Amino acid sequence: MEVRDALAQLDRIHDQLTKGEVYRGFRVPAVAVIGAVGLFAAAAQRWVLPAGVPAAFAGYWSAVAMLGGCVGFAAAVRSYLFREDDFERRRTRRVMGQFLPCLLAGALVTVALARTDGFVPLLPGLWAVLFGLGFIAVRPHMPRAITLLGTGYVFAGAMLLAWQPPEPPGWCVGGVFGIGHLLTALALHSTKEYRDE
């Protein structure tokens, strides 16, 4: 057996091991904080946003999403840099590689639709569907409840797309993502791999 074949076989073994273990890079407190921020932003929307300005709605929730992303990814990056070994870092790259496309798609959809006021009511539903698909994409590396939560996001997004209020209330976004993140934090916390840390 040549060295190259042996290394390729080791890579396949590492890939199989990576698929079989629960990814622990998402921090429970960070996920819970993101959920609380979503609920707070939903409650604050009526006082912060002017009525009848769809672009302001898209901008407000994009800013809230960026804040949540910074909180969530900062915790994952900190783990990646200071706590994980090479094997765990490989799993982190795999999970992020599977999850990031849904976030990029959400950003592209936002930029495309926010320019036309009539399309802004579609955003809450599309955001939920795309985020749910991201959850479903990383399910092999996460606790089993993540599949159910991802399906819940997709279902909530479908309901929002069917409803489409002309001026979406804050609960369309902050409620869905706030409750979703709090349930995710609970699911992670109740998993043995996360409790053992």
Side-chain angles (χ1 to χ4, degrees):
M1 178 182 279
E2 292 185 20
V3 172
R4 186 177 12 199
D5 293 336
L7 290 173
Q9 193 169 16
L10 280 173
D11 279 343
R12 285 192 296 273
I13 291 168
H14 273 128
D15 287 344
Q16 288 301 322
L17 289 172
T18 300
K19 289 178 186 175
E21 285 194 25
V22 171
Y23 173 66
R24 295 182 295 192
F26 295 117
R27 314 313 307 161
V28 172
V31 174
V33 165
I34 295 167
V37 166
L39 293 176
F40 176 78
Q45 178 183 313
R46 71 168 50 175
W47 291 286
V48 174
L49 289 184
V53 184
F57 175 86
Y60 176 73
W61 285 108
S62 295
V64 171
M66 284 190 275
L67 174 65
C70 287
V71 170
F73 283 110
V77 167
R78 183 172 175 264
S79 290
Y80 184 87
L81 294 175
F82 301 112
R83 298 177 67 183
E84 296 179 356
D85 60 22
D86 289 339
F87 181 72
E88 290 168 326
R89 286 180 179 158
R90 180 184 207 141
R91 184 173 41 245
T92 296
R93 289 190 298 271
R94 179 183 299 271
V95 169
M96 292 305 165
Q98 290 172 324
F99 190 68
L100 285 176
C102 81
L103 297 180
L104 294 175
L108 291 173
V109 164
T110 302
V111 169
L113 297 184
R115 292 182 288 171
T116 306
D117 291 350
F119 289 133
V120 170
L122 294 170
L123 288 174
L126 290 171
W127 288 333
V129 167
L130 290 169
F131 198 76
L133 292 175
F135 263 45
I136 292 168
V138 298
R139 77 185 184 289
H141 309 286
M142 300 300 291
R144 289 184 187 185
I146 294 300
T147 303
L148 183 61
L149 289 167
T151 304
Y153 274 113
V154 171
F155 180 74
M159 298 298 287
L160 290 170
L161 286 170
W163 178 35
Q164 275 185 49
E167 288 191 36
W171 299 108
C172 287
V173 183
V176 170
F177 285 90
I179 292 169
H181 275 78
L182 291 174
L183 289 173
T184 301
L186 182 64
L188 295 175
H189 180 68
S190 65
T191 303
K192 180 184 184 307
E193 290 83 359
Y194 276 83
R195 277 197 317 266
D196 289 347
E197 289 206 340

